Every structure is written in C-alpha cells, then in structure tokens.
Amino acid sequence: MPLQISDYSWQQTKTAVFVSLPLRGVCVRDADVFCTENYLKVNFPPFLFEVFLYAPIDDASSKAKIGNDTIVFTLYKKEATMWETLSVSGVDKEMMQKIREKSILQAQEKAKEAMEAKAAAKREDQKYALNVMMKIEEEERKKIEDMKENERIKATKELEAWKEHQRKTEEHKRIQRKEKLCQQEKQIEKERKKLKHKSLTGNPASRNLTIKGRNSENIFFEKLKEDSIPAPRSVGNIKINFTPRVFPTALRESQVAEEEEWLHKQAEARRATNTDIPELCDLKEEEKNPEWLKDKGNKLFATENYLAAINAYNLAIRLNNKIPLLYLNRAACHLKLKNLHKAIEDSSKAYRIMKLHLRLIHLTKLYKMMLRRFGI
C-alpha cells in the first residue's frame, strides 16, 4: 500500500497556486504526475500524493518543475479568488472515487480530442502538401507543354521556310528551263527559215530530193517511235519460302555455329534431365517433349480440366524450367481453382525468367555491336 505524503507546502495568489512537494531521494523519471481541473496526483513509489482541489484550475496552462529533490507545481485558477484551503474538505471515500473516475474520463476525452486534432492537422498538412505537389506538377506539365508547343511552332516555321525555299528554287529552275526551251525554239526556227530559203533558191530537183528525204526521215522517226514503246508486262506469281528459325533473331543477324552448339547442349541437357525423372520411363518419346506437354495442358485447360492441365504443366516444368509460358499457363489454372498464392508465385517466376531472357538478349546484341565496331 502506498504511503501518503503530508509534508508539503503551498502558497497562493488571486490567480495562481504554488505547491511544493519533496521527492525524498526518488529518481525523477519514476515520478508520475496526473492533473485535471479538480484533481492532482503524484505517484513516485512507494509514496503517493493526491489532493482534491478547492476550486477548478486551468490544467492546460498549469505546469510542474522537477529538480533538487522537489516538485513545484504552478496551478492557474479559473476564477481570480483566494482559496480557504488547498483541498476541499468533507470528502468521503465514495466522493473521492467519483472524482478520480471523473478526472480519468476527462483526461481520456482530452487525450482523444488531442489525438483527433493532431490527426486532423496531419490530414490537413497532407492535403496541403498534396495540393502543393499537384500545383507544382501542373506547372511543370504546363511548362513542358509550352516548350513542346514552342518547339512545334519553331519546327513548323522552319518547315514552311524550307518549303518556300524549295518552291522558289523549283520556280527558278522552271523559268530557266522555259527560257532555255524558248531559245532552242528560236534557234530551230532560224535554222528552219535558213533551210527553207535555201530550198526555195535552189533547183527543182534538189527541192524534190529535199522533200522526198524529209518525208522518208519522218517515216523513219515514226517507226523508231513505235519500236521504242515497250510491250505490256506479263502477269505472274512469285513464290517466297521463308527459312524456318528456332531463334527470334533474323538469319542475317545470327551466327549459325553458335546457335547449333546451343541447341545441341540444350538437347543433351534435356536428355540428361529426362533420365533423372522416373515418371518418364513409361512415356513415349514425343510425350517427353515440354512443348508437347504444354499443348496437352492447353487442351485440358480449354476443356476446364484444370487439375490435369496442372499435372501436364508440372511435368513440362520438370523437363525444362526455363520456359516462362509454362508458369503463366499453370498460374491461369491456379487462378481458376482459386489458388491465389500459387498463381502469384508462378506469375512471379515467369516474370523473372522473361526478365533474365530479355537481359540476355540485350547483352548479346551489345556484344555483337562491340564485335562489329572493333571489326572482329
């Protein structure tokens, strides 16, 4: 049972009460202070101090100072009056218990209000921070859109200027060609006039010969024009056969020797793996192929026989655990059977295998690029 402390001192003014309580060698961190409007308690085992205040105080602004083996309380009164005593008199045990319970309920309500106010303030801060971030992102987005619009306008102007330059160049070339044609026509007209003048001034025999030669020349040129026209093309079909490829890369980008070696190693590894599985002893050779088992599982999945499809995918994965599609198909079966954890696990495995495969393809391309760059 705790020991009640009675050797305390107190003083007061019209607005405040000062209570000094000795700690008697007790560690400061062991002192537990509880204060409400009408109740003050200090628990520092094995001692206990409690007082039922004469009048209500402002517990929010009141304070306590611990030091030099003493606790000094500064309690601010709600009404500026002088108290007759520090503790109210004539309080029995039942009344004390009610005051204690009421004080505890008041403290709990205040703590709850403080927590709610703190949570509301935190939500307001988060809302404000979110609004600020959205505003900043909106400004950044607007700035990027403005930059894009400026770049688009600039590119459009440059394109229009280039088109105008091309148009002027074509116009200038067209004018030059037109002038050149005009000059050629003038020269031809001059030569024609000269020939006509010579034919008129010469003898009739030569005139007849000239006419005859001109007519024969025209016949020759007409025949030449007819011969120069090509015949229509004949209609036909061209059959294209594509080389079957195991690898996704094009044949011109691959190295046949490395691919054949890789396929040979894969076949050897598959045969070595098949010998370690006792279930494969009674199976046919085609049933030991993971691709055949995958197709079998797909057919079973289409007929809603999900357990049999899972068994087919399990055996295919035991034969070759590097095919991501097997894990994805098995995850689909588990999803139909509501085995969510297994579906997530198979999906994760398929994702990791595809990620490693893509990384290997990327590294292979980089390696080939380096070999081409250095001429190896």
Side-chain angles (χ1 to χ4, degrees):
M1 185 173 181
L3 301 177
Q4 294 286 339
I5 300 299
S6 59
D7 54 343
Y8 64 89
S9 61
W10 71 285
Q11 297 177 355
Q12 66 171 328
T13 62
K14 285 188 177 182
T15 58
V17 176
F18 305 96
V19 181
S20 178
L21 182 66
L23 286 178
R24 297 182 181 181
V26 179
C27 185
V28 175
R29 63 176 176 271
D30 295 334
D32 182 17
V33 179
F34 179 73
C35 180
T36 60
E37 291 184 354
N38 298 311
Y39 181 68
L40 174 64
K41 183 181 77 171
V42 182
N43 184 17
F44 46 102
F47 303 103
L48 174 67
F49 171 76
E50 66 176 352
V51 59
F52 300 92
L53 299 175
Y54 182 80
I57 61 170
D58 187 3
D59 57 335
S61 59
S62 299
K63 55 187 178 179
K65 183 178 179 182
I66 303 176
N68 298 326
D69 294 337
T70 306
I71 301 179
V72 179
F73 293 97
T74 304
L75 310 176
Y76 294 99
K77 302 175 181 178
K78 284 192 173 182
E79 296 181 1
T81 57
M82 298 298 291
W83 292 359
E84 295 180 2
T85 59
L86 178 64
S87 176
V88 63
S89 59
V91 180
D92 55 0
K93 291 184 178 180
E94 185 178 355
M95 182 65 68
M96 289 181 182
Q97 186 64 25
K98 289 182 179 180
I99 293 173
R100 291 191 191 100
E101 293 176 356
K102 184 178 179 181
S103 300
I104 293 171
L105 290 175
Q106 289 178 353
Q108 290 177 352
E109 290 178 358
K110 288 183 179 180
K112 184 178 178 181
E113 291 176 357
M115 289 178 63
E116 291 178 353
K118 186 176 179 181
K122 186 177 180 181
R123 287 195 297 270
E124 290 295 328
D125 293 340
Q126 291 177 351
K127 186 177 179 181
Y128 175 76
L130 181 61
N131 291 331
V132 171
M133 289 297 296
M134 290 175 63
K135 187 176 180 181
I136 293 172
E137 290 178 357
E138 182 67 21
E139 291 177 355
E140 290 292 332
R141 186 182 63 79
K142 187 175 180 182
K143 185 188 292 185
I144 292 171
E145 288 180 355
D146 292 340
M147 290 175 62
K148 288 182 178 179
E149 184 65 21
N150 294 332
E151 290 294 330
R152 188 188 65 78
I153 293 172
K154 183 179 178 182
T156 304
K157 288 182 178 179
E158 291 178 354
L159 182 61
E160 292 294 334
W162 178 79
K163 286 182 178 179
E164 185 66 21
H165 177 71
Q166 291 293 112
R167 188 184 65 78
K168 289 181 179 180
T169 304
E170 291 294 331
E171 185 69 21
H172 182 66
K173 289 181 179 180
R174 188 176 63 80
I175 292 171
Q176 286 182 350
R177 286 196 299 268
K178 190 174 181 181
E179 290 177 353
K180 189 175 180 180
L181 287 173
C182 290
Q183 290 178 1
Q184 290 178 356
E185 288 178 358
K186 288 179 181 180
Q187 183 125 13
I188 292 170
E189 188 66 26
K190 287 181 181 180
E191 292 179 356
R192 188 179 295 170
K193 287 181 180 180
K194 287 179 182 180
L195 291 172
K196 188 176 181 182
H197 181 70
K198 287 181 180 181
S199 63
L200 291 174
T201 55
N203 52 7
S206 63
R207 190 183 304 141
N208 294 331
L209 183 61
T210 304
I211 294 170
K212 186 178 179 181
R214 189 179 300 168
N215 292 332
S216 64
E217 184 179 359
N218 291 336
I219 294 170
F220 174 76
F221 278 117
E222 288 178 0
K223 186 177 180 181
L224 183 63
K225 286 182 180 179
E226 291 177 358
D227 294 339
S228 63
I229 298 174
R233 294 182 179 178
S234 59
V235 180
N237 295 325
I238 300 174
K239 187 177 180 181
I240 300 174
N241 295 324
F242 295 97
T243 306
R245 294 281 297 149
V246 179
F247 294 89
T249 56
L251 183 60
R252 62 179 180 277
E253 298 179 358
S254 62
Q255 297 180 3
V256 180
E258 285 91 355
E259 292 178 358
E260 292 294 334
E261 184 180 358
W262 187 84
L263 290 173
H264 182 67
K265 289 182 179 180
Q266 289 294 320
E268 289 182 353
R270 189 179 294 113
R271 285 195 296 272
T273 307
N274 294 345
T275 56
D276 298 334
I277 302 175
E279 291 89 342
L280 301 179
C281 298
D282 299 332
L283 297 179
K284 299 178 182 179
E285 189 64 28
E286 61 180 10
E287 295 175 349
K288 299 178 183 180
N289 188 358
E291 293 294 331
W292 185 90
L293 291 170
K294 178 174 71 67
D295 296 337
K296 184 68 175 178
N298 295 342
K299 293 177 181 178
L300 293 172
F301 181 85
T303 59
E304 299 183 358
N305 192 354
Y306 304 122
L307 292 176
I310 289 174
N311 292 332
Y313 294 137
N314 288 338
L315 186 56
I317 289 171
R318 292 186 65 184
L319 291 172
N320 189 351
N321 58 357
K322 303 298 182 183
I323 302 176
L325 195 58
L326 296 175
Y327 292 99
L328 289 176
N329 294 350
R330 192 171 70 176
C333 294
H334 284 306
L335 191 61
K336 291 290 185 180
L337 295 174
K338 307 299 182 183
N339 299 329
L340 302 182
H341 292 287
K342 292 185 179 181
I344 294 172
E345 184 179 356
D346 284 345
S347 301
S348 302
K349 288 181 181 178
Y351 171 74
R352 286 195 293 269
I353 293 171
M354 287 189 287
K355 189 175 180 182
L356 291 173
H357 182 63
L358 292 175
R359 187 176 297 171
L360 180 62
I361 292 174
H362 181 64
L363 291 174
T364 306
K365 289 184 178 179
L366 289 177
Y367 177 69
K368 291 181 179 179
M369 288 173 62
M370 291 177 65
L371 291 178
R372 294 195 194 99
R373 181 175 295 177
F374 291 105
I376 300 174

